[in-house]
Amino acid sequence: MNQPVNILVLGSGGREHALAWKIAQSSRAATVYVGPGNPGMFRRPGKIQPALINGTPLSAVDSEAIILFCRIFTCDLVVVGPEAPLAAGVVDDLQAAGIMVFGPSRSAARLESSKAFARHVMQRAGVPSPGFSIVREWNDLPRAIEAWPWARGMVIKVDGLAAGKGVFVCRSRDEAWRAVGSLKLMDSQSAGTMTRDGLVCEELLIGREVSAFAICDGRAFIPFGMACDHKRLLDGDFGPNTGGMGAYSPVDWLDESVAREIGQIVFQPVLDEMDALGSPFRGVLFAGLMITDEGAKVLEFNVRLGDPECQVLLPRLDEDLLGIILAATTGRLAHEYSRGFKWHPGAAVHVVKAAEGYPGIDGVRVRAGDPVFETVPVAEGGADNLVFYAGVAKRQGANFGDKGDLKSCDLETSGGRVLGITAVGPDLRHARDRVYSGIDDITFEGAQWRTDIGKCVTSP
């Protein structure tokens, strides 16, 4: 594709805002549509536009509507951001309609949509990972807890997708029983869908967590950087698990030899196994790793860029992201990027500002409807700090295009992770200083955020 093309990005969060922002920088990108997107992405004129059909935002899981939109607006490529459309088979539907799409098929996406499937793939591929057991029925969970070897603890995970909230780290039987209570409440609130596919109980690993990424074209992969995500709500890694409260990249405490080894002990064996199963993996493969005294072990796989890891990787990427995506979708990845990808020197730090009550577990209500006051540019090239919006909605009567100040605004909070701020600096310390110096430039009532993003922590 030598001529400018239209691209459709599916999703609505900070990750999709970052994807659209980076893709729009390509000279080959004409218009970057985002569906459903969020109003924070479209506040200023430019290539990034909302994907609308008859004035209604496009659903990321409605294959029929997505195909129709691509036909009407001549979209040459669809980039899938979140996990739900992948698990729903949107990629399969688009491919069947002859539309180029970046992301794994439904069968390949089981590496994320089923923790049990992923564990079995890792086991067959010889990928280092913790010991585990599968619990299919609620009645089997008490027996699993009582029989568990509690020397190192247990991690209970919902087998299916849970938006980052279905993981419970338990260091004792008492903590495991409290997790059961939380799981039952979440299950009742989701009408039984939360635990429909069962649970996975895993050995609790001790070490440092790191997220490793690779761009894959079915058989070949190219490393796509590493980042550290702070999942716990509170400073010092306390509080409940969330979808992620911030991230930093690169990972300066990780030995380079370990980073190089990940591709050979994790990514390539999994690609080979998925190919053997008849489900070649194309897209972004994300390995959540624990660096232990015994080496790196895989905690889980995701089949897309992480959120918020994406928001620190893309500002550091010194490549045309659209070119990378096109190479991966056409099987030319290894040919065009045999020397790997280029990265800007320095570091990036991303801090999430979440609504009061987030992550909304144990019946806690997540606050919404508060005005968002912004005094800095939104995700514009050259800005010291980049702002990526997620859980926001347009205020009634707001006039888009206004700059927004402490007296007026056009956005209000509508979700748990409202927005995130990324800063880039010559090193991690300078990036941290920059992001926190601007943390109050965007405000809303009840905002909560961590003050220690980018500091090395060792608790799992």
Side-chain angles (χ1 to χ4, degrees), residues 13 54-55 119-120 153 178 181 190 261 290 333 366 379 390 396 400:
N54 295 327
R119 282 285 165 231
H120 290 312
R178 286 196 291 273
S190 67
E261 187 183 35
M290 183 70 79
L333 190 64
V366 179
Q396 187 173 2
F400 274 27

Side-chain angles (χ1 to χ4, degrees), residues 126-449:
V127 173
S129 55
F132 69 96
S133 66
I134 309 298
V135 177
R136 292 298 182 193
E137 303 290 340
W138 272 114
N139 293 338
D140 296 332
L141 185 56
R143 288 191 290 271
I145 292 173
E146 291 304 314
W148 193 260
W150 282 99
R152 297 181 72 172
M154 168 193 282
V155 180
I156 303 175
K157 296 181 177 181
V158 171
D159 181 53
L161 299 177
K165 301 171 188 175
V167 178
F168 295 84
V169 178
C170 310
R171 293 174 175 81
S172 66
R173 283 189 177 86
D174 287 343
E175 288 189 1
W177 285 115
R178 286 196 291 273
V180 171
S182 296
L183 275 165
K184 286 187 175 180
L185 179 59
M186 293 167 67
D187 196 52
S188 64
Q189 292 174 339
S190 67
T193 61
M194 180 67 74
T195 59
R196 176 184 55 203
D197 299 319
L199 303 165
V200 179
C201 298
E202 299 176 358
E203 171 192 10
L204 174 62
L205 300 179
I206 305 299
R208 286 182 174 178
E209 284 193 53
V210 63
S211 303
F213 299 85
I215 305 290
C216 310
D217 67 3
R219 295 185 177 180
F221 77 93
I222 303 292
F224 197 67
M226 291 189 168
C228 281
D229 170 24
H230 296 253
K231 293 186 183 301
R232 297 280 186 161
L233 179 68
L234 306 175
D235 285 4
D237 270 4
F238 291 101
N241 269 316
T242 71
M245 294 299 293
Y248 65 92
S249 179
V251 185
D252 56 359
W253 53 262
L254 188 64
D255 188 271
E256 289 187 8
S257 63
V258 176
R260 288 193 299 269
E261 187 183 35
I262 297 302
Q264 300 310 312
I265 67 173
V266 176
F267 291 126
Q268 195 60 59
V270 169
L271 288 183
D272 293 343
E273 179 64 25
M274 293 300 291
D275 193 36
L277 290 172
S279 299
F281 188 93
R282 301 180 182 91
V284 179
L285 186 55
F286 164 6
L289 306 170
M290 183 70 79
I291 309 301
T292 73
D293 291 340
E294 300 170 347
K297 295 188 178 183
V298 177
L299 297 171
E300 64 182 8
F301 282 119
N302 292 326
V303 295
R304 33 70 190 187
L305 279 168
D307 185 345
E309 292 96 335
C310 175
Q311 292 92 302
V312 291
L313 289 173
L314 295 189
R316 292 186 54 237
L317 180 66
D318 192 16
E319 297 274 8
D320 181 336
L321 180 60
L322 179 55
I324 292 173
I325 290 172
L326 290 172
T329 55
T330 56
R332 295 181 56 82
L333 190 64
H335 173 73
E336 295 188 21
Y337 296 93
S338 58
R339 296 184 180 180
F341 304 130
K342 293 182 292 183
W343 300 88
H344 290 294
V349 175
H350 180 81
V351 178
V352 170
K353 297 191 79 167
E356 182 180 302
Y358 179 75
I361 62 174
D362 295 336
V364 176
R365 174 181 164 272
V366 179
R367 181 169 175 155
D370 291 299
V372 178
F373 298 101
E374 176 200 304
T375 61
V376 297
V378 177
E380 295 176 348
D384 285 340
N385 287 353
L386 304 171
V387 181
F388 298 112
Y389 279 106
V392 294
K394 184 178 177 180
R395 297 193 74 201
Q396 187 173 2
N399 179 21
F400 274 27
D402 291 345
K403 291 295 182 183
D405 54 36
L406 292 177
K407 296 181 180 179
S408 63
C409 63
D410 51 23
L411 298 174
E412 65 183 21
T413 62
S414 65
R417 292 189 293 178
V418 176
L419 58 91
I421 304 171
T422 298
V424 179
D427 53 41
L428 189 59
R429 180 176 66 83
H430 284 88
R432 288 192 75 253
D433 289 345
R434 285 182 181 178
V435 76
Y436 281 111
S437 68
I439 199 70
D440 291 323
D441 289 340
I442 302 183
T443 64
F444 54 91
E445 193 69 27
Q448 57 175 331
W449 65 91

